[in-house]
Amino acid sequence: EKVQEQMQDIKNQRKMELSAADQLRSSLLDFERKDEAETVVDETNPLLRDGYEVFPAASQDLASERMCLDIAVQLRQKGNEFYNQKNYEVALRKYGKARRYLMHSYFITSQEGKLQCNDADDRDRLLSTTELNLALAAFQIPRAGQCEDICKTLLRRDPANLKALYRLGCCHRDFGDIEKARATFKKGCDIAGDDAAMRRGLRTCDDKIRKYREATNKLASNMFGKGLGTFYPEPVKSEEELAAERDLEDQQKEWDDADAKDKELETQKGE
Protein backbone atom coordinates (compact mmCIF):
# COMPACT_ATOMS: atom_id res chain seq x y z
CA GLU A 1 0.00 0.00 0.00
CA LYS A 2 2.86 2.37 0.80
CA VAL A 3 4.44 1.69 -2.61
CA GLN A 4 1.11 2.36 -4.35
CA GLU A 5 0.73 5.63 -2.44
CA GLN A 6 4.23 6.70 -3.48
CA MET A 7 3.51 5.81 -7.12
CA GLN A 8 0.30 7.83 -6.99
CA ASP A 9 2.19 10.78 -5.51
CA ILE A 10 4.68 10.61 -8.40
CA LYS A 11 1.83 10.54 -10.94
CA ASN A 12 0.15 13.53 -9.27
CA GLN A 13 3.45 15.43 -9.25
CA ARG A 14 3.92 14.78 -12.97
CA LYS A 15 0.40 16.03 -13.64
CA MET A 16 1.15 19.18 -11.69
CA GLU A 17 4.36 19.78 -13.63
CA LEU A 18 2.55 19.42 -16.96
CA SER A 19 -0.67 21.10 -15.93
CA ALA A 20 0.04 24.53 -17.44
CA ALA A 21 1.02 23.21 -20.89
CA ASP A 22 -1.66 20.54 -20.82
CA GLN A 23 -4.29 23.06 -19.82
CA LEU A 24 -3.42 25.34 -22.74
CA ARG A 25 -3.36 22.44 -25.20
CA SER A 26 -6.65 21.13 -23.83
CA SER A 27 -8.21 24.55 -24.20
CA LEU A 28 -7.06 24.82 -27.82
CA LEU A 29 -8.37 21.34 -28.60
CA ASP A 30 -11.72 22.26 -27.02
CA PHE A 31 -11.94 25.31 -29.27
CA GLU A 32 -11.06 23.19 -32.30
CA ARG A 33 -13.69 20.54 -31.50
CA LYS A 34 -16.30 23.23 -30.82
CA ASP A 35 -15.56 24.96 -34.13
CA GLU A 36 -15.70 21.67 -36.03
CA ALA A 37 -19.06 20.79 -34.45
CA GLU A 38 -20.46 24.22 -35.28
CA THR A 39 -19.11 23.94 -38.85
CA VAL A 40 -21.24 20.79 -39.23
CA VAL A 41 -24.26 22.79 -38.05
CA ASP A 42 -23.40 25.60 -40.49
CA GLU A 43 -24.01 23.20 -43.38
CA THR A 44 -27.69 22.94 -42.32
CA ASN A 45 -28.08 26.73 -42.50
CA PRO A 46 -28.69 28.06 -46.04
CA LEU A 47 -27.11 31.40 -45.09
CA LEU A 48 -23.88 29.81 -43.82
CA ARG A 49 -23.40 26.62 -45.83
CA ASP A 50 -20.70 26.37 -48.49
CA GLY A 51 -21.46 22.87 -49.82
CA TYR A 52 -18.10 21.29 -48.95
CA GLU A 53 -17.38 18.50 -46.51
CA VAL A 54 -16.28 19.66 -43.06
CA PHE A 55 -13.37 17.20 -43.21
CA PRO A 56 -11.72 16.89 -46.64
CA ALA A 57 -10.80 13.24 -46.01
CA ALA A 58 -14.54 12.45 -45.99
CA SER A 59 -14.99 13.71 -49.56
CA GLN A 60 -14.85 10.90 -52.13
CA ASP A 61 -14.62 13.36 -55.03
CA LEU A 62 -11.53 15.09 -53.68
CA ALA A 63 -8.74 13.43 -55.63
CA SER A 64 -6.19 16.10 -56.48
CA GLU A 65 -4.11 18.86 -54.98
CA ARG A 66 -5.63 21.33 -57.46
CA MET A 67 -9.16 20.63 -56.21
CA CYS A 68 -8.05 21.20 -52.61
CA LEU A 69 -6.44 24.50 -53.55
CA ASP A 70 -9.49 25.73 -55.48
CA ILE A 71 -11.86 24.85 -52.63
CA ALA A 72 -9.57 26.52 -50.08
CA VAL A 73 -9.58 29.74 -52.14
CA GLN A 74 -13.38 29.76 -52.17
CA LEU A 75 -13.62 29.02 -48.44
CA ARG A 76 -11.18 31.78 -47.60
CA GLN A 77 -13.21 34.21 -49.70
CA LYS A 78 -16.31 33.15 -47.77
CA GLY A 79 -14.43 33.82 -44.55
CA ASN A 80 -13.50 37.31 -45.78
CA GLU A 81 -17.15 38.07 -46.50
CA PHE A 82 -18.25 37.06 -43.00
CA TYR A 83 -15.29 38.91 -41.48
CA ASN A 84 -16.26 42.12 -43.27
CA GLN A 85 -19.76 41.66 -41.84
CA LYS A 86 -18.10 41.46 -38.38
CA ASN A 87 -19.35 37.88 -37.99
CA TYR A 88 -15.96 36.81 -36.65
CA GLU A 89 -16.94 33.38 -35.33
CA VAL A 90 -18.33 32.17 -38.67
CA ALA A 91 -15.33 33.74 -40.45
CA LEU A 92 -13.00 31.82 -38.14
CA ARG A 93 -14.77 28.56 -38.97
CA LYS A 94 -14.49 29.22 -42.73
CA TYR A 95 -10.79 30.04 -42.41
CA GLY A 96 -10.27 26.91 -40.33
CA LYS A 97 -12.03 24.82 -42.96
CA ALA A 98 -9.91 26.35 -45.74
CA ARG A 99 -6.82 25.54 -43.72
CA ARG A 100 -7.90 21.89 -43.38
CA TYR A 101 -8.25 21.57 -47.16
CA LEU A 102 -4.83 23.11 -47.72
CA MET A 103 -3.22 20.80 -45.18
CA HIS A 104 -5.01 17.81 -46.74
CA SER A 105 -3.54 18.65 -50.16
CA TYR A 106 -0.02 17.96 -48.87
CA PHE A 107 -0.94 14.31 -48.26
CA ILE A 108 -2.53 13.52 -51.64
CA THR A 109 -0.31 11.07 -53.50
CA SER A 110 -2.19 10.98 -56.82
CA GLN A 111 -0.26 12.43 -59.75
CA GLU A 112 -3.49 13.59 -61.40
CA GLY A 113 -4.04 17.29 -60.75
CA LYS A 114 -0.70 17.57 -58.97
CA LEU A 115 0.48 21.14 -58.48
CA GLN A 116 3.48 22.43 -60.41
CA CYS A 117 6.28 24.34 -58.66
CA ASN A 118 4.72 27.80 -59.06
CA ASP A 119 1.30 26.55 -57.96
CA ALA A 120 2.86 24.80 -54.97
CA ASP A 121 4.42 28.11 -53.95
CA ASP A 122 1.01 29.75 -54.29
CA ARG A 123 -0.41 27.07 -51.98
CA ASP A 124 2.26 27.78 -49.37
CA ARG A 125 1.50 31.50 -49.53
CA LEU A 126 -2.25 30.84 -49.34
CA LEU A 127 -1.73 28.68 -46.26
CA SER A 128 0.20 31.50 -44.55
CA THR A 129 -2.42 34.09 -45.53
CA THR A 130 -5.26 31.85 -44.34
CA GLU A 131 -3.52 31.34 -40.99
CA LEU A 132 -3.09 35.12 -40.66
CA ASN A 133 -6.82 35.51 -41.30
CA LEU A 134 -7.52 32.79 -38.76
CA ALA A 135 -5.34 34.49 -36.14
CA LEU A 136 -7.02 37.86 -36.74
CA ALA A 137 -10.50 36.36 -36.39
CA ALA A 138 -9.44 34.60 -33.17
CA PHE A 139 -8.05 37.92 -31.90
CA GLN A 140 -11.37 39.65 -32.57
CA ILE A 141 -13.57 37.07 -30.79
CA PRO A 142 -11.33 37.20 -28.58
CA ARG A 143 -9.35 33.98 -28.14
CA ALA A 144 -5.88 35.06 -27.08
CA GLY A 145 -4.49 31.53 -26.73
CA GLN A 146 -5.69 30.45 -30.17
CA CYS A 147 -4.39 33.62 -31.83
CA GLU A 148 -0.98 33.13 -30.21
CA ASP A 149 -0.81 29.45 -31.15
CA ILE A 150 -1.64 30.11 -34.81
CA CYS A 151 0.92 32.93 -35.09
CA LYS A 152 3.62 30.78 -33.51
CA THR A 153 2.79 27.89 -35.86
CA LEU A 154 3.23 30.20 -38.85
CA LEU A 155 6.43 31.69 -37.45
CA ARG A 156 7.97 28.24 -37.07
CA ARG A 157 7.70 27.92 -40.88
CA ASP A 158 8.49 31.56 -41.64
CA PRO A 159 10.32 33.28 -38.74
CA ALA A 160 10.49 36.60 -40.63
CA ASN A 161 6.76 36.90 -41.38
CA LEU A 162 6.04 40.49 -40.31
CA LYS A 163 2.26 40.16 -40.23
CA ALA A 164 2.47 37.14 -37.93
CA LEU A 165 4.92 38.98 -35.66
CA TYR A 166 2.70 42.07 -35.60
CA ARG A 167 -0.44 40.09 -34.74
CA LEU A 168 1.41 38.11 -32.09
CA GLY A 169 2.69 41.38 -30.60
CA CYS A 170 -0.82 42.87 -30.60
CA CYS A 171 -2.14 39.70 -28.95
CA HIS A 172 0.46 39.92 -26.16
CA ARG A 173 -0.05 43.68 -25.76
CA ASP A 174 -3.86 43.71 -25.66
CA PHE A 175 -4.10 40.67 -23.39
CA GLY A 176 -1.70 41.91 -20.74
CA ASP A 177 1.80 40.53 -21.46
CA ILE A 178 3.49 43.81 -22.32
CA GLU A 179 7.08 42.51 -21.98
CA LYS A 180 6.46 39.72 -24.52
CA ALA A 181 4.72 42.23 -26.77
CA ARG A 182 7.74 44.52 -26.68
CA ALA A 183 10.11 41.65 -27.49
CA THR A 184 7.93 40.65 -30.45
CA PHE A 185 7.68 44.19 -31.84
CA LYS A 186 11.43 44.61 -31.30
CA LYS A 187 12.09 41.48 -33.35
CA GLY A 188 9.88 42.88 -36.11
CA CYS A 189 11.81 46.18 -36.04
CA ASP A 190 15.09 44.26 -36.27
CA ILE A 191 13.81 42.50 -39.40
CA ALA A 192 12.23 45.58 -41.01
CA GLY A 193 13.35 48.78 -39.35
CA ASP A 194 11.22 50.96 -41.65
CA ASP A 195 7.93 49.19 -40.82
CA ALA A 196 5.70 51.91 -39.31
CA ALA A 197 3.30 49.52 -37.56
CA MET A 198 6.15 47.69 -35.81
CA ARG A 199 7.77 50.94 -34.68
CA ARG A 200 4.46 52.25 -33.41
CA GLY A 201 3.80 49.00 -31.53
CA LEU A 202 7.25 49.19 -29.93
CA ARG A 203 6.72 52.82 -28.89
CA THR A 204 3.35 51.98 -27.37
CA CYS A 205 4.90 49.15 -25.33
CA ASP A 206 7.75 51.38 -24.17
CA ASP A 207 5.25 54.04 -23.11
CA LYS A 208 3.12 51.55 -21.17
CA ILE A 209 6.20 50.08 -19.45
CA ARG A 210 7.43 53.57 -18.54
CA LYS A 211 4.04 54.56 -17.08
CA TYR A 212 3.86 51.32 -15.10
CA ARG A 213 7.34 51.87 -13.64
CA GLU A 214 6.52 55.47 -12.77
CA ALA A 215 3.34 54.39 -11.00
CA THR A 216 5.22 51.63 -9.16
CA ASN A 217 7.98 54.01 -8.07
CA LYS A 218 5.43 56.56 -6.92
CA LEU A 219 3.59 53.93 -4.89
CA ALA A 220 6.85 52.76 -3.29
CA SER A 221 7.79 56.35 -2.53
CA ASN A 222 4.45 56.98 -0.87
CA MET A 223 4.71 53.82 1.20
CA PHE A 224 8.32 54.06 2.38
CA GLY A 225 9.28 57.69 1.92
CA LYS A 226 6.43 59.38 3.76
CA GLY A 227 6.16 56.99 6.67
CA LEU A 228 3.02 55.67 8.30
CA GLY A 229 0.44 58.04 9.72
CA THR A 230 2.14 61.16 8.36
CA PHE A 231 0.53 63.52 5.88
CA TYR A 232 2.57 65.13 3.17
CA PRO A 233 0.96 67.35 0.54
CA GLU A 234 1.56 66.41 -3.09
CA PRO A 235 4.22 68.60 -4.74
CA VAL A 236 2.91 71.24 -7.13
CA LYS A 237 4.02 70.64 -10.71
CA SER A 238 5.64 73.42 -12.68
CA GLU A 239 4.23 74.75 -15.96
CA GLU A 240 7.05 73.03 -17.84
CA GLU A 241 6.18 69.64 -16.29
CA LEU A 242 2.48 70.08 -17.07
CA ALA A 243 3.28 71.08 -20.67
CA ALA A 244 5.52 68.01 -21.08
CA GLU A 245 2.72 65.75 -19.78
CA ARG A 246 0.25 67.31 -22.23
CA ASP A 247 2.67 66.75 -25.10
CA LEU A 248 3.09 63.12 -24.07
CA GLU A 249 -0.69 62.64 -23.90
CA ASP A 250 -1.11 64.20 -27.36
CA GLN A 251 1.59 61.89 -28.77
CA GLN A 252 -0.06 58.85 -27.18
CA LYS A 253 -3.40 59.88 -28.70
CA GLU A 254 -1.78 60.09 -32.15
CA TRP A 255 -0.38 56.57 -31.73
CA ASP A 256 -3.74 55.23 -30.52
CA ASP A 257 -5.53 56.85 -33.49
CA ALA A 258 -2.98 55.33 -35.88
CA ASP A 259 -3.48 51.88 -34.30
CA ALA A 260 -7.25 52.27 -34.67
CA LYS A 261 -6.84 53.14 -38.35
CA ASP A 262 -4.61 50.08 -38.89
CA LYS A 263 -7.23 47.82 -37.30
CA GLU A 264 -9.99 49.43 -39.40
CA LEU A 265 -8.01 48.83 -42.61
CA GLU A 266 -7.39 45.19 -41.66
CA THR A 267 -11.12 44.79 -40.93
CA GLN A 268 -12.02 46.20 -44.37
CA LYS A 269 -9.54 43.90 -46.10
CA GLY A 270 -10.43 40.85 -44.02
CA GLU A 271 -6.78 40.09 -43.62
Side-chain angles (χ1 to χ4, degrees):
E1 290 180 0
K2 186 173 290 188
V3 172
Q4 290 179 348
E5 289 178 1
Q6 291 177 347
M7 290 179 67
Q8 187 62 43
D9 289 341
I10 293 172
K11 289 181 180 179
N12 292 336
Q13 186 176 359
R14 287 177 177 172
K15 287 181 180 179
M16 290 176 62
E17 291 173 353
L18 299 175
S19 61
D22 286 348
Q23 186 175 0
L24 176 60
R25 178 54 52 188
S26 176
S27 175
L28 294 173
L29 288 174
D30 287 343
F31 282 140
E32 188 174 344
R33 293 190 192 101
K34 177 176 177 290
D35 291 337
E36 289 170 352
E38 291 182 355
T39 303
V40 173
V41 177
D42 288 346
E43 289 304 302
T44 65
N45 187 334
L47 298 178
L48 303 181
R49 71 186 305 270
D50 50 59
Y52 298 113
E53 293 284 353
V54 176
F55 301 101
S59 176
Q60 298 179 353
D61 300 328
L62 196 64
S64 70
E65 295 178 354
R66 169 57 61 185
M67 290 179 65
C68 286
L69 181 61
D70 292 342
I71 291 172
V73 169
Q74 296 177 46
L75 289 171
R76 179 177 174 270
Q77 183 58 42
K78 284 278 188 183
N80 289 344
E81 292 172 6
F82 284 110
Y83 187 93
N84 291 333
Q85 297 168 13
K86 300 189 185 302
N87 193 341
Y88 301 125
E89 293 190 355
V90 175
L92 182 140
R93 295 199 289 272
K94 296 300 180 185
Y95 293 141
K97 193 171 181 180
R99 186 194 195 192
R100 285 197 292 276
Y101 274 83
L102 288 169
M103 295 301 294
H104 182 74
S105 70
Y106 288 96
F107 297 96
I108 293 179
T109 57
S110 173
Q111 295 300 312
E112 182 181 355
K114 194 168 184 64
L115 297 176
Q116 302 301 316
C117 291
N118 291 340
D119 292 333
D121 291 340
D122 289 341
R123 176 180 58 184
D124 294 341
R125 283 191 291 270
L126 180 62
L127 177 60
S128 295
T129 305
T130 301
E131 288 180 334
L132 287 169
N133 295 145
L134 190 59
L136 185 59
F139 179 81
Q140 296 284 7
I141 289 176
R143 293 181 183 175
Q146 189 173 14
C147 177
E148 180 181 354
D149 183 68
I150 294 164
C151 289
K152 287 182 175 179
T153 298
L154 201 163
L155 288 167
R156 279 194 288 271
R157 296 198 313 270
D158 182 7
N161 190 301
L162 289 178
K163 280 193 174 182
L165 284 169
Y166 181 73
R167 284 178 191 167
L168 181 59
C170 290
C171 180
H172 288 318
R173 181 194 63 196
D174 291 4
F175 292 101
D177 200 334
I178 198 68
E179 295 289 351
K180 281 187 178 180
R182 188 191 185 283
T184 304
F185 288 131
K186 179 67 168 60
K187 183 176 181 180
C189 289
D190 291 341
I191 294 171
D194 58 345
D195 190 277
M198 286 292 184
R199 294 202 310 270
R200 188 163 52 250
L202 184 60
R203 286 198 303 267
T204 303
C205 290
D206 286 338
D207 187 55
K208 288 186 176 183
I209 292 171
R210 180 185 58 79
K211 288 182 177 180
Y212 172 77
R213 288 175 179 170
E214 286 178 355
T216 303
N217 291 337
K218 185 176 181 181
L219 178 61
S221 177
N222 289 339
M223 290 177 62
F224 301 108
K226 295 180 179 180
L228 298 176
T230 307
F231 173 77
Y232 285 84
E234 291 291 332
V236 178
K237 294 182 179 179
S238 66
E239 286 297 328
E240 291 79 5
E241 290 175 324
L242 292 173
E245 287 185 358
R246 287 194 295 269
D247 291 341
L248 185 60
E249 290 174 359
D250 291 341
Q251 183 65 64
Q252 183 61 48
K253 187 175 183 302
E254 290 181 10
W255 293 341
D256 292 341
D257 291 342
D259 283 339
K261 288 181 181 178
D262 288 344
K263 289 183 180 179
E264 184 178 353
L265 287 173
E266 287 192 345
T267 299
Q268 292 173 356
K269 294 178 181 177
E271 295 183 352

